[in-house]
Amino acid sequence: MRPPVRPKDPRPESALRTLAAIGPASAPALRKVLFKPAAVRVNNTRREAFMDWLAVLGPAAAPARRHVDATLAEAPGSTPESLRAAALRAREALDEL
């Protein structure tokens, strides 16, 4: 499974959700996604799917912590509650050891 690494990838959210379903075994794909982070910042739906994937990866998603922190640093009114909740789940999973 290849991650969505282009902003115009036609299968963005579904690919990220599939990677989340694969679980920690999908961690090697994170490097490709982080190489082109604009691909996951296209819209809130894609950002939420990315946060859900990071939550599944847990500590293996440590290289993406700045994306989680940046999402949580956004003003609460400018970020949908579902995205904030996904970012909080990702932060909790990152903090697990």
Side-chain angles (χ1 to χ4, degrees):
M1 180 73 194
R2 293 178 50 216
V5 293
R6 294 185 181 94
K8 294 185 179 182
D9 193 321
R11 56 182 180 89
E13 294 83 14
S14 62
L16 289 167
R17 296 209 189 285
T18 300
L19 290 168
I22 292 170
S26 66
L30 181 61
R31 195 163 149 182
K32 289 183 180 180
V33 172
L34 293 178
F35 186 69
K36 297 194 178 194
V40 294
R41 291 192 307 251
V42 171
N43 60 44
N44 288 333
T45 306
R46 195 181 293 197
R47 290 173 66 201
E48 185 176 337
F50 181 57
M51 294 297 149
D52 288 339
W53 179 37
L54 297 179
V56 169
L57 292 179
R65 178 180 279 282
R66 65 186 170 99
H67 296 284
V68 175
D69 293 340
T71 299
L72 292 172
E74 294 175 9
S78 67
T79 306
E81 281 301 313
S82 59
L83 177 56
R84 286 189 67 74
L88 285 170
R89 286 191 303 274
R91 179 187 276 169
E92 289 173 6
L94 281 166
D95 291 340
E96 290 179 2
L97 290 178

PDB file of all heavy atoms in Angstrom, residues 5 7 13 20 26 54 63 75 97:
ATOM      1  N   VAL A   5       0.936  10.796  -1.332  1.00  0.00           N
ATOM      2  CA  VAL A   5       2.010  11.766  -1.158  1.00  0.00           C
ATOM      3  C   VAL A   5       1.862  12.978  -2.073  1.00  0.00           C
ATOM      4  O   VAL A   5       2.746  13.810  -2.126  1.00  0.00           O
ATOM      5  CB  VAL A   5       3.399  11.121  -1.362  1.00  0.00           C
ATOM      6  CG1 VAL A   5       3.684  10.126  -0.252  1.00  0.00           C
ATOM      7  CG2 VAL A   5       3.517  10.471  -2.717  1.00  0.00           C
ATOM      8  N   PRO A   7      -0.867  16.186  -3.145  1.00  0.00           N
ATOM      9  CA  PRO A   7      -2.113  16.862  -2.733  1.00  0.00           C
ATOM     10  C   PRO A   7      -3.323  16.472  -3.589  1.00  0.00           C
ATOM     11  O   PRO A   7      -4.441  16.459  -3.105  1.00  0.00           O
ATOM     12  CB  PRO A   7      -1.785  18.340  -2.892  1.00  0.00           C
ATOM     13  CG  PRO A   7      -0.310  18.412  -2.722  1.00  0.00           C
ATOM     14  CD  PRO A   7       0.225  17.133  -3.329  1.00  0.00           C
ATOM     15  N   GLU A  13      -7.983  10.055   1.714  1.00  0.00           N
ATOM     16  CA  GLU A  13      -8.485   9.616   3.017  1.00  0.00           C
ATOM     17  C   GLU A  13      -8.565   8.102   3.097  1.00  0.00           C
ATOM     18  O   GLU A  13      -8.215   7.514   4.118  1.00  0.00           O
ATOM     19  CB  GLU A  13      -9.851  10.233   3.312  1.00  0.00           C
ATOM     20  CG  GLU A  13      -9.818  11.734   3.484  1.00  0.00           C
ATOM     21  CD  GLU A  13      -9.860  12.509   2.170  1.00  0.00           C
ATOM     22  OE1 GLU A  13     -10.187  11.906   1.111  1.00  0.00           O
ATOM     23  OE2 GLU A  13      -9.560  13.703   2.183  1.00  0.00           O
ATOM     24  N   ALA A  20      -4.070   2.975   8.500  1.00  0.00           N
ATOM     25  CA  ALA A  20      -4.436   2.855   9.918  1.00  0.00           C
ATOM     26  C   ALA A  20      -4.936   1.448  10.218  1.00  0.00           C
ATOM     27  O   ALA A  20      -4.637   0.880  11.273  1.00  0.00           O
ATOM     28  CB  ALA A  20      -5.487   3.899  10.288  1.00  0.00           C
ATOM     29  N   SER A  26       2.401  -0.488   9.136  1.00  0.00           N
ATOM     30  CA  SER A  26       2.423   0.548   8.096  1.00  0.00           C
ATOM     31  C   SER A  26       3.365   1.695   8.439  1.00  0.00           C
ATOM     32  O   SER A  26       3.480   2.657   7.681  1.00  0.00           O
ATOM     33  CB  SER A  26       1.006   1.093   7.880  1.00  0.00           C
ATOM     34  OG  SER A  26       0.562   1.788   9.036  1.00  0.00           O
ATOM     35  N   LEU A  54      -1.817   8.188  12.833  1.00  0.00           N
ATOM     36  CA  LEU A  54      -0.764   8.417  13.826  1.00  0.00           C
ATOM     37  C   LEU A  54      -1.142   7.808  15.171  1.00  0.00           C
ATOM     38  O   LEU A  54      -0.283   7.254  15.865  1.00  0.00           O
ATOM     39  CB  LEU A  54      -0.488   9.916  13.979  1.00  0.00           C
ATOM     40  CG  LEU A  54       0.047  10.633  12.743  1.00  0.00           C
ATOM     41  CD1 LEU A  54       0.239  12.106  13.041  1.00  0.00           C
ATOM     42  CD2 LEU A  54       1.325   9.995  12.238  1.00  0.00           C
ATOM     43  N   PRO A  63       8.114  10.870  14.678  1.00  0.00           N
ATOM     44  CA  PRO A  63       8.573  11.893  13.741  1.00  0.00           C
ATOM     45  C   PRO A  63       7.472  12.871  13.304  1.00  0.00           C
ATOM     46  O   PRO A  63       7.763  13.953  12.807  1.00  0.00           O
ATOM     47  CB  PRO A  63       9.076  11.090  12.542  1.00  0.00           C
ATOM     48  CG  PRO A  63       9.414   9.749  13.097  1.00  0.00           C
ATOM     49  CD  PRO A  63       8.407   9.520  14.198  1.00  0.00           C
ATOM     50  N   ALA A  75      -6.454  27.583  16.766  1.00  0.00           N
ATOM     51  CA  ALA A  75      -7.569  28.113  17.559  1.00  0.00           C
ATOM     52  C   ALA A  75      -8.728  27.119  17.516  1.00  0.00           C
ATOM     53  O   ALA A  75      -9.069  26.618  16.440  1.00  0.00           O
ATOM     54  CB  ALA A  75      -8.002  29.456  17.013  1.00  0.00           C
ATOM     55  N   LEU A  97       4.307   4.557  26.174  1.00  0.00           N
ATOM     56  CA  LEU A  97       5.580   3.836  26.036  1.00  0.00           C
ATOM     57  C   LEU A  97       5.484   2.467  26.642  1.00  0.00           C
ATOM     58  O   LEU A  97       4.848   2.126  27.495  1.00  0.00           O
ATOM     59  CB  LEU A  97       6.723   4.607  26.666  1.00  0.00           C
ATOM     60  CG  LEU A  97       7.124   5.881  25.927  1.00  0.00           C
ATOM     61  CD1 LEU A  97       8.238   6.584  26.688  1.00  0.00           C
ATOM     62  CD2 LEU A  97       7.609   5.557  24.529  1.00  0.00           C
TER      63      LEU A  97
END
